[in-house]
Amino acid sequence: MRPVAARVITTRGVSRGSASALLVCIIVLSIAAALFAPSALSRPFMGFCVFLALAVMVIQILYRATSPRPRNWISVEILFMLGYLVVHTTYPLFWLIGLAPSENALWYDQSVVCYAAAMTAAGLACFALGFNIPADRYNCVQWPANVDRAALMSWKRIGTVLFLAGAVALAAWARLVGDVISSGVYTYAPGEYGAHITFLLADTLLRLGLLVLTITAALLTRKWKIGLIPKIGLALFVGWFAILGDRSTLVTMALLVAAAYSEYVRLISFKVLICIIVGGLFFMGVIRVARWSPDRTVSSFIQTAREESHQISWDTGLMNFGGSVRTLHAAVATIPSEYNYRLGELQITTAAGLIPFSRRLLPANFVTSATFLTAIINRGNMESGAGTTVVADLYCDFGFPGVMVALFTLGLLSKQIQQRARAAPSLTWGVAHAALIPVMTLMARYTVMTAVRSVLWPVIAVYLLSCLFGLRRRVDLPTVAPLPPQSAYPSRQTGPVVWHDRVGRGSGHI
């Protein structure tokens, strides 16, 4: 394995400052637009807000495209912003170009749509600003001169065991729910409480096993040599979740591997990213149509997709995900006019999920924003969920200012995790970064606290495993500085020998 010296990027100060200045201008314009938002649908106003939101994405792409090589386009901020735009601006954009009707019930309340569009642009610009403020010290993982191969081999074996344990737990979940998953009625993780816990355990073990396997295999070989059984298992699981219609789990597992692969094995180019996005959205549209097949079998899935092929087009996946913006309109229309701001109450349930089984101790009135908004949109009918978006979730609790502050903070934290993971081959930060990317990609349709559990649980698991088996989490070996000639010492050398890392700072003792 050829070592790569650490490279601190110092050539992007001007471009980073220019990007930040443009983002500040967009934030100011978005706030001003919200203050003067009309109470009726206005094409000029909506066009202006959509332009501001798209401009944030363009600025970030240009900023990354002009960065020093090598570049990895499977980046946490790019994927978050893409998901954010798909969910919050697809329907307004399609309405502007005449592909979506004005009278569609998706608006929920047309009097708040313009205000919500301005808030959407402001929130995205705040996230991008928070992400860009810290310097880009590392644009890729810094490879050490030496790695602890014995520790890495031990971690790889642990990753295999975790993956197989996840497969066993998934089989146990399928046994618990019985015929429900093959009945042809789409239900996410069906079953009683025990089945839900089993599914959550299986999902966590599978994700952690894939992450540990991919990172350790790459550090050992610079290739994706995770083993034949995990590769076959991953393909089977992805196909099974597609037939079940569980797009979230499917995308999460695929992106976990893609994120770790792109960081540690081979960088993903912009062209490849575009192909992944286009192909992924089309496949998500196919799954949405075919998941209502009468039986959960491959033949039934394919037959339903063929029979309903007229519903599958280039915009099927976009419109499906973009429909979630209705929850934001419902939130703005009813808060604070009918309901007070929840002031963090809607985050308690998700935060309690950080501690297993603690949700059962909460009173029944503690719900998530998805449940709260479903009750509003469906007028109390809870048979089908309306969902939520990250902006709707934050607005319900903290209003417009809370959306901006929370997304700005989220951008800062995402950048810090990315840079810490790239600074040194630490399994803890590597797992945190790779786990963060898929959850940030999907966060536009979820609550903001979802990221905490999805990242914190794998990190805690790595820490506990390292303590249990006595393994190092930072797997680079120290480079011992050569001793000067003996004549340089007036007396015998005593005390520890100090070794230095690859940028010359004292890093420890041996």
Side-chain angles (χ1 to χ4, degrees):
M1 180 170 57
R2 182 181 179 181
V4 177
R7 180 172 59 175
V8 179
I9 302 173
T10 59
T11 60
R12 293 180 59 179
V14 175
S15 62
R16 184 162 61 92
S18 301
S20 298
L22 289 173
L23 291 172
V24 170
C25 291
I26 291 176
I27 293 172
V28 173
L29 290 173
S30 300
I31 295 174
L35 292 175
F36 299 99
S39 58
L41 286 177
S42 169
R43 289 188 183 276
F45 186 91
M46 291 291 289
F48 177 70
C49 293
V50 171
F51 170 79
L52 291 179
L54 294 177
V56 175
M57 187 72 180
V58 171
I59 290 170
Q60 193 63 30
I61 290 176
L62 292 176
Y63 174 58
R64 182 158 296 281
T66 56
S67 66
R69 292 180 180 274
R71 307 185 195 108
N72 181 16
W73 285 92
I74 299 290
S75 183
V76 60
E77 91 281 11
I78 294 293
L79 294 179
F80 170 80
M81 293 167 69
L82 178 65
Y84 186 101
L85 287 173
V86 167
V87 169
H88 294 95
T89 65
T90 294
Y91 200 82
L93 178 61
F94 281 17
W95 174 74
L96 286 170
I97 60 180
L99 294 179
S102 298
E103 65 275 8
N104 195 291
L106 187 60
W107 295 125
Y108 185 82
D109 186 345
Q110 296 187 11
S111 65
V112 302
V113 171
C114 291
Y115 179 85
M119 180 166 57
T120 294
L124 186 61
C126 285
F127 171 84
L129 181 63
F131 189 88
N132 290 334
I133 282 181
D136 289 293
R137 291 176 55 84
Y138 306 100
N139 59 351
C140 62
V141 175
Q142 304 304 299
W143 292 86
N146 299 292
V147 294
D148 189 343
R149 297 186 63 85
L152 285 173
M153 290 298 298
S154 298
W155 277 114
K156 189 177 180 182
R157 287 190 288 268
I158 290 173
T160 302
V161 172
L162 291 171
F163 183 83
L164 294 177
V168 172
L170 193 63
W173 168 77
R175 185 69 179 269
L176 286 174
V177 297
D179 296 335
V180 177
I181 58 176
S182 60
S183 62
V185 178
Y186 171 67
T187 305
Y188 173 74
E192 300 298 330
Y193 183 74
H196 282 283
I197 294 300
T198 306
F199 182 84
L200 184 61
L201 176 64
D203 186 45
T204 302
L205 290 174
L206 287 172
R207 295 187 191 189
L208 182 59
L210 284 172
L211 285 176
V212 173
L213 276 172
T214 301
I215 294 174
T216 54
L219 289 172
L220 284 167
T221 65
R222 297 298 296 269
K223 297 179 181 179
W224 193 49
K225 291 187 175 181
I226 65 173
L228 183 60
I229 293 178
K231 286 183 179 180
I232 295 175
L234 175 62
L236 292 175
F237 293 147
V238 168
W240 189 42
F241 286 126
I243 295 173
L244 292 179
D246 187 354
R247 295 180 297 179
S248 297
T249 303
L250 184 155
V251 172
T252 299
M253 292 183 67
L255 277 177
L256 276 173
V257 176
Y261 179 90
S262 63
E263 284 288 310
Y264 292 92
V265 180
R266 179 177 297 176
L267 301 178
I268 301 299
S269 67
F270 186 72
K271 292 180 180 179
V272 174
L273 176 64
I274 295 300
C275 292
I276 292 174
I277 293 170
V278 174
L281 286 174
F282 179 79
F283 189 50
M284 293 300 103
V286 173
I287 294 176
R288 178 182 178 272
V289 172
R291 68 183 181 180
W292 300 101
S293 57
D295 298 302
R296 292 292 180 221
T297 60
V298 176
S299 58
S300 179
F301 181 89
I302 296 175
Q303 181 180 356
T304 303
R306 288 178 176 176
E307 293 174 351
E308 303 297 330
S309 59
H310 61 280
Q311 299 185 34
I312 304 173
S313 62
W314 66 272
D315 62 341
T316 301
L318 285 173
M319 287 296 287
N320 176 233
F321 291 123
S324 297
V325 75
R326 186 187 186 200
T327 61
L328 174 58
H329 300 155
V332 177
T334 55
I335 297 176
S337 60
E338 298 180 25
Y339 303 93
N340 294 325
Y341 294 110
R342 314 311 291 181
L343 301 178
E345 176 186 320
L346 300 178
Q347 308 299 327
I348 293 177
T349 300
T350 309
L354 296 174
I355 304 174
F357 309 108
S358 60
R359 286 184 178 179
R360 296 176 68 88
L361 303 177
L362 294 176
N365 61 312
F366 283 94
V367 297
T368 64
S369 61
T371 304
F372 177 73
L373 293 172
T374 295
I376 292 175
I377 293 175
N378 295 346
R379 302 183 184 279
N381 182 3
M382 306 301 291
E383 292 184 0
S384 61
T388 188
T389 77
V390 65
V391 178
D393 175 62
L394 293 170
Y395 178 83
C396 287
D397 270 320
F398 309 112
F400 195 136
V403 170
M404 295 196 302
V405 172
L407 289 178
F408 176 84
T409 305
L410 186 63
L412 281 173
L413 292 176
S414 299
K415 185 60 163 289
Q416 292 296 333
I417 292 175
Q418 180 203 69
Q419 291 298 297
R420 289 294 297 269
R422 291 177 174 177
S426 164
L427 199 62
T428 305
W429 288 105
V431 166
H433 184 214
L436 179 68
I437 290 177
V439 74
M440 289 291 286
T441 305
L442 299 174
M443 186 186 289
R445 298 184 76 202
Y446 293 95
T447 64
V448 71
M449 287 295 293
T450 303
V452 179
R453 185 180 70 183
S454 299
V455 175
L456 193 60
W457 277 13
V459 169
I460 292 176
V462 169
Y463 177 79
L464 293 177
L465 288 169
S466 70
C467 294
L468 179 63
F469 296 102
L471 297 174
R472 301 172 68 244
R473 296 185 299 278
R474 178 164 174 167
V475 294
D476 57 330
L477 291 176
T479 301
V480 180
L483 292 175
Q486 188 66 30
S487 59
Y489 291 88
S491 59
R492 189 176 63 177
Q493 172 77 11
T494 59
V497 177
V498 180
W499 58 270
H500 297 271
D501 64 11
R502 49 189 181 276
V503 293
R505 293 185 296 269
S507 302
H509 299 83
I510 57 175

